[in-house]
Amino acid sequence: ALHVRRELFDLAKGSAPGSDADLSAALRARHVSLTPHDEKPTFQAWNGIIRNYKVNSTPTMVVRYSPSDVRTFRGGMEIRQGLEQLRKALTPARSPGKAGRGKG
């Protein structure tokens, strides 16, 4: 993805290809292959998520810990707090008997 992005920016700096066919040819010349993709199902899924979790602003982060525990964080500060909560939830708990081991 980063390679493709870099190639697109490089193309945009020069005389950018005018049509889709020109762009495809320019990317193929730079060893970037294209595969047609129907984005409609992806956008339908995103719209369903947006409606389901009532996402009405950006940035928004939704974390589903379980079917009954879904948390929504809005704005940079809340999202940072949500990321910290998620990190803690994903970090395995250390058993008390193993604390301090490995030091000589």
Side-chain angles (χ1 to χ4, degrees):
L2 293 177
H3 170 69
V4 174
R5 181 180 182 272
R6 186 173 35 253
E7 295 300 335
L8 286 169
F9 273 97
D10 284 348
L11 285 170
K13 288 178 189 174
S15 57
S19 69
D20 287 350
D22 293 339
L23 177 59
S24 294
L27 287 172
R28 276 194 305 277
R30 292 169 175 248
H31 307 290
V32 175
S33 62
L34 297 176
T35 304
H37 175 72
D38 181 10
E39 68 280 346
K40 189 174 182 178
T42 302
F43 286 121
Q44 288 174 336
W46 283 346
N47 285 331
I49 291 168
I50 288 168
R51 278 191 304 275
N52 188 38
Y53 296 108
K54 298 175 179 69
V55 175
N56 54 17
S57 64
T58 58
T60 298
M61 179 177 82
V62 178
V63 180
R64 184 176 178 201
Y65 289 90
S66 72
S68 62
D69 185 5
V70 178
R71 302 175 197 177
T72 303
F73 304 92
R74 291 179 175 84
M77 208 157 169
E78 275 189 26
I79 289 173
R80 280 191 288 282
Q81 293 168 353
L83 288 170
E84 182 61 25
Q85 290 175 22
L86 179 60
R87 186 187 65 77
K88 287 178 182 177
L90 295 174
T91 303
R94 290 185 172 181
S95 61
K98 294 186 179 182
R101 285 192 177 174
K103 293 183 180 179

